[in-house]
Amino acid sequence: MSSYDYDLFVIGGGSGGVRGARVAASLGKKVAIAEEYRYGGTCVIRGCVPKKLFVYASQFHEHFEDAAGFGWTVGESSFDWKKLVAAKDVEIARLEGLYKKGLAGANAEILETRAELVDAHTVRLLKSGQTVTAKTILIATGGRPNPHAALPGHELCISSNEAFHLEELPKSIVISGGGYIAVEFANIFHGLGVETTLIYRGAEILSRFDEDLRRGLHEAMAAKGIRILCHDTLQKVSKGEDGLILETLNNGTLQADVVMLALGRDPNTEGLGLEAAGVAVDERGAVIVDEYSRTNVENIYALGDVTNRVQLTPVAIHEAMCFIETEYKNNPTRPDYELIPTAVFSQPEIGTVGLSEEEAGKRYSELEVYRAQFRPLKATLSGRAERMIMKLIVDAASRKVVGAHILGHDAGEMAQLLGVTLKAGCTKDDFDRTMALHPTAAEELVTMYAPSYRIRDGKRI
Ligand SMILES: Cc1cc2nc3c(=O)[nH]c(=O)nc-3n(C[C@H](O)[C@H](O)[C@H](O)COP(=O)(O)OP(=O)(O)OC[C@H]3O[C@@H](n4cnc5c(N)ncnc54)[C@H](O)[C@@H]3O)c2cc1C
């Protein structure tokens, strides 16, 4: 009989924590999990899921416009922001219920409280003040939006958290940031009819993605009417007579109803008692872990966004499954970060897996780049001036496809499947051998027979 109250105590009921708690409990371990806000965490409550619902909502006006080219006459349409928020909230509550049901079904104890470490085996439950002990502790507290405290007037701005619950849809918004969250929300608000400006200090939005797609998306967003100001930052935000006044470094004064900061996310480690437990953090406050997600304290693990490795839901879940193998199945398992498919749910969408042309150029001495840019079939009748881009980056020596990048409709769906082929180590010859599925956009991926250009020693030839 263990001298601890629990075999496992999980702090944080998000993607990683819930998976770790549920699976450990289903293995017969005595498990408790504490969540200070809502079960489901960032992904379900104020991240991936509500965002994707908003993306769908924001696409309808283009669907209505496109319909005319196919013979439809669409009546007058209008949009009700409050209805969307309410419908989204119903779905989120349903998912939250499913998360709890899964935990309860596995016999994990569900605690609705903030939890903080007292020492390496003891946790304080803030709601009751009670302390409990556990043999193993899993920190899965995620992250929160960086508030950019150095910006005068930052307290007048919102983050993605508040964007999901705005009382009214603003007439205008300025979004500061160039990462996927900033870009996705710029498209969402623009699609819902909000005058949208994106301001980003870098040379081009979406650093780390393939440059071709970054440029292509920038152009497509600008053509739709989203104002994108690169090489610029907000200097000050203040209240004006009619909305907010923004001073920028290079574009003078702007005005907007709402300013949203999307400038990265900080790990949720403040006041968590890590010092008391002896758990080390890095300069950004992220919990330092080894390749098995173990902290410097033998019985304490950490995973997901709080460790600042790859901040994505499937990665947090994968890390949790590796933790289960390592801790409870006597099968030490390292998370695998190779070839993670990702999407940006912009309009048009980006779907990508593997190396960008720029990264691949640094790793391989010779590359073949297969690139197609074309007007999708649907756009012919709709009249929409949109172009899809598809790119395969191939290591000339091994013929392996080391990167696949798509800009256009359903790019995320395609990237998920391309992820399987790249993970399996498929070569360009395997792509060539695959029969095209006609008429689809994806058939381009298996019909690009000749390289568009080559890269040798990082240079295009
Ligand atoms: C706007 C937005 C869009 C996103 N879109 C995508 C996407 O499309 N695809 C994708 O893969 N990822 C997306 N992400 C990222 C994804 O949400 C995270 O990577 C994922 O949720 C991380 O899971 P986690 O378990 O590490 O942490 P979280 O899901 O953040 O869960 C941590 C939980 O811990 C709780 N907590 C914190 N401290 C304590 C404490 N002391 N005691 C008790 N509870 C505590 C928090 O309330 C939270 O519920 C998005 C994120 C945002 C913000």
Side-chain angles (χ1 to χ4, degrees), residues 22-68:
R22 180 168 62 72
V23 180
S26 71
L27 294 174
K29 303 293 166 195
K30 190 167 183 218
V31 178
I33 177 167
E35 166 56 51
E36 67 176 344
Y37 181 53
R38 292 179 67 182
Y39 275 89
T42 305
C43 173
V44 173
I45 308 298
R46 42 197 183 186
C48 334
V49 177
K51 170 200 78 186
K52 191 81 188 280
L53 294 174
F54 279 14
V55 169
Y56 287 129
S58 66
Q59 290 171 335
F60 280 96
H61 87 114
E62 286 196 357
H63 295 333
F64 298 150
E65 282 171 14
D66 291 353

Side-chain angles (χ1 to χ4, degrees), residues 391-404:
K391 257 177 104 167
L392 295 178
I393 317 288
V394 177
D395 168 29
S398 67
R399 305 284 298 143
K400 265 197 181 166
V401 179
V402 296

Side-chain angles (χ1 to χ4, degrees), residues 11-17 34-38 40-43 46-48 51 113-116 140-143 160 164 180-181 184-185 265 268 272 303-306 310-314 316 345:
I11 309 180
S15 309
E35 166 56 51
E36 67 176 344
Y37 181 53
R38 292 179 67 182
T42 305
C43 173
R46 42 197 183 186
C48 334
K51 170 200 78 186
T113 175
R114 180 174 170 81
E116 292 173 1
T141 50
S160 57
F164 291 114
Y180 79 93
I181 293 177
E184 288 174 343
F185 272 97
R265 294 176 59 81
N268 265 332
L272 194 55
L303 50 80
D305 284 7
V306 74
V310 181
Q311 300 191 352
L312 290 170
T313 288
F345 295 102

Side-chain angles (χ1 to χ4, degrees), residues 186-200:
N187 282 278
I188 289 169
F189 282 113
H190 171 77
L192 295 176
V194 180
E195 190 191 314
T196 303
T197 304
L198 188 63
I199 179 164
Y200 175 51

Side-chain angles (χ1 to χ4, degrees), residues 122-176:
T122 312
V123 175
R124 175 173 295 112
L125 310 178
L126 262 69
K127 213 179 227 174
S128 62
Q130 185 195 354
T131 55
V132 295
T133 59
K135 182 166 185 264
T136 305
I137 291 173
L138 179 61
I139 301 169
T141 50
R144 61 181 185 285
N146 170 354
H148 194 8
L151 173 72
H154 68 92
E155 66 285 352
L156 301 171
C157 306
I158 65 161
S159 70
S160 57
N161 284 352
E162 293 74 37
F164 291 114
H165 283 110
L166 288 175
E167 280 292 312
E168 304 286 340
L169 186 65
K171 285 202 175 56
S172 57
I173 190 166
V174 171
I175 299 175
S176 174

